[in-house]
Amino acid sequence: MSRGGKIMISVKKLTKTFGNKTAVHDLSFELAGGEILGFLGPNGAGKTTTMRILTGFFPPTSGTATIDGLDVVEDTLKVRSRVGYLPEHVPLYHDMTVREFLHFAAAAKRVASGERARRVDETIERCNLSKVADQLIATISRGYKQRVGLGQAIVNSPKVLILDEPTVGLDPTQVRDIRSLLRELGKDSTVILSSHILSEVQQMCSRVIIIADGQIQAIDTPANLTATLQGETRIHLRVAGADEEEVQKKLSELEAVSSVSRLDLGHFQVLSEGGRDESLAPRIAGLVVSSGWELHELRAQTANLEDIFIKLVEQEKQSSVVSDIPA
């Protein structure tokens, strides 16, 4: 399930229960060096639980997970030395300056004493923390605190980065900077990041896992997920110089059109029936020309990760309801 190269993360039949609650059930996937994996799912889906198992916070109930060939249970300390972890709620010492905290993190991660100052300086520069480097963490903004959290995750140049909502609380400029940094880090590290910003995952990640109720619903590249799960063609059409009822009637009469919706003045959405239909747009264009309408826009709308995410989660909910109905 990896794209090639050395396997850095391997998860096999991972399950975690808390009492009678199953948080993660039978998860399996692999990541090679240099991959950036997006972890998508609703709240309570099992994303954070999986990340905490991978970082050695607690063991799985069953199944195995390895980081760089090391078992996360049997070799916990060695695993932690290879992993940078940014939890959703970043634990920071507010009575330290940013620089002091990064030195503390470097020492805790056993960065050699002769290397610490250089690593901290590099981290401050990479995370754009120079302006606040010598301020108390208590006095800096939430966005800067998030950057400090990312800084402690990368100060030891880890082979694997596990980031839970890494851009939460950042303004658009800071988000852009963090995305750029993560792409750079992805050249040398294997990265897992969870996010509720679906466009962010679509832009940054080489592969995506969609998880719901502790189980993987889909795993693939963003492009392949879009192509596989898009079950219809959507065409947006803007015309002028035409009676709107006539436009809607003629569009509805085209072969393989399932529905026509008027979105705005002169703006229509046309959906195909029975799956993808690459010939729909040319047929609409031909209808516009033959009818003498003025064509202002003809655009195919592709599904994005948000469409796919919602579709898969809704399917999971429906299957759960069906399975709960007594026979």
Side-chain angles (χ1 to χ4, degrees):
M1 297 172 73
S2 70
R3 67 175 186 180
K6 180 181 178 181
I7 300 301
M8 290 300 299
I9 299 176
S10 178
V11 173
K12 296 180 180 179
K13 297 186 176 299
L14 201 67
T15 296
K16 181 65 178 179
T17 60
F18 298 95
N20 60 0
K21 167 69 176 177
T22 300
V24 173
H25 178 65
D26 205 30
L27 258 62
S28 296
F29 62 90
E30 291 182 339
L31 271 74
E35 284 199 84
I36 300 179
L37 176 76
F39 217 29
L40 294 179
N43 291 334
K47 305 185 302 298
T48 296
T49 297
T50 303
M51 290 179 163
R52 288 178 175 173
I53 292 172
L54 291 176
T55 51
F57 272 64
F58 44 59
T61 303
S62 62
T64 61
T66 61
I67 302 286
D68 196 18
L70 299 169
D71 188 277
V72 297
V73 176
E74 296 178 359
D75 302 296
T76 301
L77 293 180
K78 290 181 179 179
V79 166
R80 289 182 181 181
S81 71
R82 288 163 168 77
V83 172
Y85 178 43
L86 175 66
E88 183 178 2
H89 303 290
V90 186
L92 301 172
Y93 291 113
H94 287 192
D95 57 349
M96 286 184 175
T97 68
V98 170
R99 191 182 303 276
E100 288 170 344
F101 177 76
L102 291 177
H103 271 281
F104 169 78
K109 295 184 177 190
R110 300 183 179 180
V111 175
S113 57
E115 288 285 306
R116 287 175 201 161
R118 180 181 64 81
R119 291 278 186 89
V120 168
D121 287 343
E122 287 178 353
T123 300
I124 287 171
E125 182 178 352
R126 297 180 87 179
C127 295
N128 289 323
L129 290 166
S130 299
K131 290 183 179 180
V132 298
D134 297 307
Q135 287 183 222
L136 289 176
I137 291 175
T139 67
I140 64 178
S141 70
R142 180 181 178 184
Y144 274 121
K145 287 175 182 174
Q146 190 71 7
R147 293 199 218 182
V148 175
L150 182 58
Q152 64 79 28
I154 68 173
V155 72
N156 60 324
S157 299
K159 293 184 176 182
V160 172
L161 275 173
I162 297 178
L163 312 174
D164 202 350
E165 301 283 350
T167 60
V168 65
L170 304 184
D171 64 37
T173 300
Q174 293 169 334
V175 169
R176 181 196 62 198
D177 292 342
I178 294 299
R179 286 178 182 172
S180 177
L181 174 58
L182 291 180
R183 289 190 191 100
E184 178 188 341
L185 293 169
K187 295 176 183 177
D188 302 312
S189 302
T190 301
V191 182
I192 296 180
L193 67 90
S194 73
S195 177
H196 287 91
I197 305 173
L198 304 180
S199 61
E200 179 172 272
V201 172
Q202 195 158 19
Q203 291 176 38
M204 293 179 54
C205 297
S206 53
R207 283 199 295 156
V208 178
I209 285 178
I210 297 178
I211 183 173
D213 290 335
Q215 299 183 68
I216 291 176
Q217 306 301 312
I219 177 168
D220 211 328
T221 66
N224 285 346
L225 279 174
T226 300
T228 301
L229 295 175
Q230 183 171 330
E232 61 190 11
T233 299
R234 299 183 187 184
I235 303 293
H236 281 259
L237 172 69
R238 291 183 185 272
V239 295
D243 178 80
E244 298 211 340
E245 289 186 4
E246 179 189 9
V247 173
Q248 193 154 3
K249 180 176 182 294
K250 286 190 174 182
L251 289 171
S252 299
E253 291 172 349
L254 287 175
E255 182 184 354
V257 168
S258 64
S259 68
V260 178
S261 305
R262 180 181 175 275
L263 303 180
D264 200 352
L265 182 63
H267 183 193
F268 300 86
Q269 177 179 264
V270 185
L271 301 183
S272 66
E273 62 182 14
R276 297 284 292 150
D277 186 349
E278 300 296 338
S279 69
L280 182 57
R283 286 188 282 115
I284 291 174
L287 174 64
V288 171
V289 172
S290 65
S291 301
W293 304 330
E294 294 178 21
L295 178 60
H296 290 189
E297 181 184 15
L298 181 62
R299 170 174 56 87
Q301 181 185 23
T302 59
N304 57 29
L305 280 184
E306 184 166 3
D307 299 324
I308 295 165
F309 176 81
I310 292 171
K311 182 176 181 179
L312 285 171
V313 171
E314 287 301 317
Q315 287 175 348
E316 172 65 19
K317 287 181 181 178
Q318 290 174 8
S319 65
S320 297
V321 170
V322 170
S323 66
D324 288 341
I325 297 175

